[in-house]
Amino acid sequence: AARSRPPSRRTARSRRRPGPKVARGAGPGAMPGRGALCLGLLLPVLLGCGSAQQPGGCPDLCECSEPARTVKCVNRNLTAVPPDLPPYVRSLFITGNPLTHLPAGAFSAQRLPDLSALNLSGNHLQAVEAGALALPALRQLDLSGNALISLSPQAFGDGGNPLEELSLRGALREHGVLFSLAALLQSGVLRNLSRLDLADNGLLVLPAGMFTALPALRQLDLSNNSLVGLQNVSFQGLGQLQSLNLSNNSLAVLWNSTLAQFRSLPTLRHIDLGHNTWVCDCPIEDLVAWLKESDQVDGKEALTCAYPDKMLGKALLKINSLDLNCSVPTDLPSQLQTSYVFLGIVLALIGAIFLLVLYLNRKGIKKWMHNIRDACRDHMEGYHYRYEINADPRLTNLSSNSDV
């Protein structure tokens, strides 16, 4: 019993403590409940600020970070773009999903005014319709690792688009979609594009004039394809081009027309030509001469011949005219012109000889022609006589009686 008294005294003291604190905090003449009134007025303001900082919720199956303004929907088995993306997003990752189709308005321009980086790689995209990517602030787009079959030339809208980086690495599975991409690039919608990645697509040839409407292009990656030539590719107008990657293709030679374009680009300082199947015969002389004088090619010392067998592994920079066995380094048009001239001279000479022979034998030829004429006349008279006998019955009977 004696031990239980102290706790009761402490409890009594603690109960008496709040009285003086309220008196000191309120002060003389203070109105009771003033703190509660202020708190009640500030609470709606605080709640309003909180709601302003969170303008939209995070879609299901996605991860959102408002401070980083990033939304990630990675490997979530999505078949469509989430319609409730938060408006604050700047970087959006929708990768590794069975997403096959981007319809018009898949990304709302009004709801996503600040979306600048969009990563759609590693999905199963096959079709991108007109207006599907018409976003006002889009700067970076990654469509690599898809299986595009249809790409609308109006995918970015009808007006200009601010897109600066476009990656289609391993995404052009169908030959027809390459021409759709060429039409998109030639339309001038992506005039701000500075980086274009077309690697790993198995491209054999490129449509003519594909890059002519890209004046701001600085980096072009065409590596790891199957390009056999660049004769129909025009690099004119790419005044800002700095880097061109042509490695791991099937290039056998670069002709003078292509080399002249490379020389005319003032900012082009990095060209990668490694791992191509260079054919070291007479036509490669121009390429070898350009390599020896140019500083645009990275790692040109490692470029080697692939054909013929006698030149296999030989460095291009060490090739000379004796190795190629080219006696007269002329191009095909000049050879054809020389052949036509020579053929004309031969034909004229043959005609002159024939006329001379006719002139020298004019008398004999004239007698021969008269003999032929007389022979033909006698032969025709014999036919005419037989015809008259067969046509007249009296002559026929006379002829038969005489025969008897």
Side-chain angles (χ1 to χ4, degrees):
R3 292 178 181 176
S4 61
R5 290 177 183 176
S8 62
R9 292 177 182 176
R10 295 191 193 99
T11 304
R13 292 176 183 175
S14 62
R15 290 176 180 174
R16 289 194 295 267
R17 288 175 185 171
K21 285 184 180 180
V22 174
R24 288 194 303 269
M31 294 178 61
R34 184 176 179 182
L37 180 61
C38 294
L39 182 60
L41 294 174
L42 290 174
L43 184 60
V45 178
L46 294 175
L47 292 176
C49 294
S51 61
Q53 294 175 356
Q54 297 179 355
C58 187
D60 296 337
L61 304 178
C62 295
E63 300 176 359
C64 303
S65 174
E66 185 176 354
R69 307 187 72 174
T70 301
V71 175
K72 296 182 179 181
C73 309
V74 180
N75 299 325
R76 296 295 185 173
N77 203 32
L78 296 176
T79 57
V81 177
D84 52 346
L85 293 170
Y88 62 76
V89 61
R90 284 187 178 176
S91 300
L92 176 59
F93 297 82
I94 303 179
T95 62
N97 294 286
L99 184 65
T100 61
H101 182 224
L102 283 183
F107 300 94
S108 174
Q110 291 77 17
R111 183 175 176 82
L112 305 173
D114 299 327
L115 182 59
S116 60
L118 177 58
N119 191 332
L120 296 172
S121 62
N123 292 298
H124 296 81
L125 279 177
Q126 297 181 359
V128 180
E129 293 186 0
L133 300 169
L135 293 165
L138 189 62
R139 296 291 190 278
Q140 301 174 354
L141 176 62
D142 191 349
L143 292 172
S144 60
N146 286 286
L148 291 177
I149 298 176
S150 174
L151 176 63
S152 172
Q154 291 81 33
F156 295 91
D158 296 328
N161 191 279
L163 190 68
E164 297 177 356
E165 299 183 10
L166 175 60
S167 177
L168 291 165
R169 180 180 290 263
L172 306 178
R173 302 294 178 86
E174 295 290 333
H175 188 66
V177 75
L178 177 63
F179 292 94
S180 299
L181 174 63
L184 171 62
L185 297 178
Q186 291 172 342
S187 66
V189 176
L190 303 180
R191 296 185 63 83
N192 295 318
L193 197 65
S194 63
R195 181 178 178 272
L196 179 59
D197 189 350
L198 298 177
D200 301 330
N201 285 306
L203 304 177
L204 291 173
V205 293
L206 296 174
M210 183 175 180
F211 309 117
T212 54
L214 302 175
L217 193 64
R218 297 185 179 182
Q219 299 179 15
L220 178 58
D221 193 346
L222 295 169
S223 63
N224 202 23
N225 284 292
S226 301
L227 296 175
V228 295
L230 300 174
Q231 293 91 327
N232 62 331
V233 181
S234 175
F235 298 97
Q236 298 296 333
L238 303 182
Q240 303 297 324
L241 189 63
Q242 300 175 358
S243 174
L244 176 60
N245 193 342
L246 293 168
S247 62
N248 291 283
N249 279 283
S250 300
L251 297 174
V253 66
L254 294 181
W255 298 98
N256 263 334
S257 58
T258 302
L259 301 178
Q261 292 187 60
F262 290 163
R263 294 188 187 98
S264 65
L265 299 177
T267 60
L268 183 57
R269 288 292 177 266
H270 302 283
I271 304 176
D272 193 344
L273 297 174
H275 302 285
N276 280 280
T277 55
W278 304 111
V279 178
C280 296
D281 53 10
C282 290
I284 208 171
E285 270 194 318
D286 296 327
L287 173 60
V288 172
W290 174 70
L291 288 174
K292 291 179 179 179
E293 68 181 17
S294 174
D295 58 351
Q296 295 175 292
V297 182
D298 296 333
K300 59 183 179 181
E301 296 81 6
L303 301 180
T304 58
C305 301
Y307 299 100
D309 293 338
K310 65 177 183 179
M311 300 289 288
L312 181 63
K314 187 176 182 63
L316 265 63
L317 291 178
K318 296 182 179 180
I319 294 177
N320 52 50
S321 58
L322 297 178
D323 296 328
L324 300 177
N325 193 21
C326 299
S327 56
V328 180
T330 57
D331 54 1
L332 183 60
S334 62
Q335 290 180 355
L336 291 176
Q337 185 177 3
T338 304
S339 301
Y340 291 148
V341 172
F342 180 74
L343 179 61
I345 293 174
V346 171
L347 292 176
L349 182 61
I350 293 174
I353 294 174
F354 179 74
L355 294 175
L356 180 61
V357 171
L358 291 179
Y359 177 76
L360 295 176
N361 295 276
R362 60 188 182 278
K363 295 181 179 180
I365 293 174
K366 185 177 180 180
K367 183 177 180 181
W368 178 70
M369 293 296 292
H370 284 298
N371 294 335
I372 292 177
R373 183 189 63 182
D374 294 340
C376 290
R377 181 182 298 172
D378 295 341
H379 194 66
M380 292 302 295
E381 288 178 353
Y383 274 112
H384 183 67
Y385 176 72
R386 291 181 183 179
Y387 174 76
E388 290 179 349
I389 292 176
N390 294 330
D392 192 346
R394 294 174 299 175
L395 297 176
T396 305
N397 295 332
L398 180 60
S399 176
S400 60
N401 295 330
S402 64
D403 292 338
V404 173

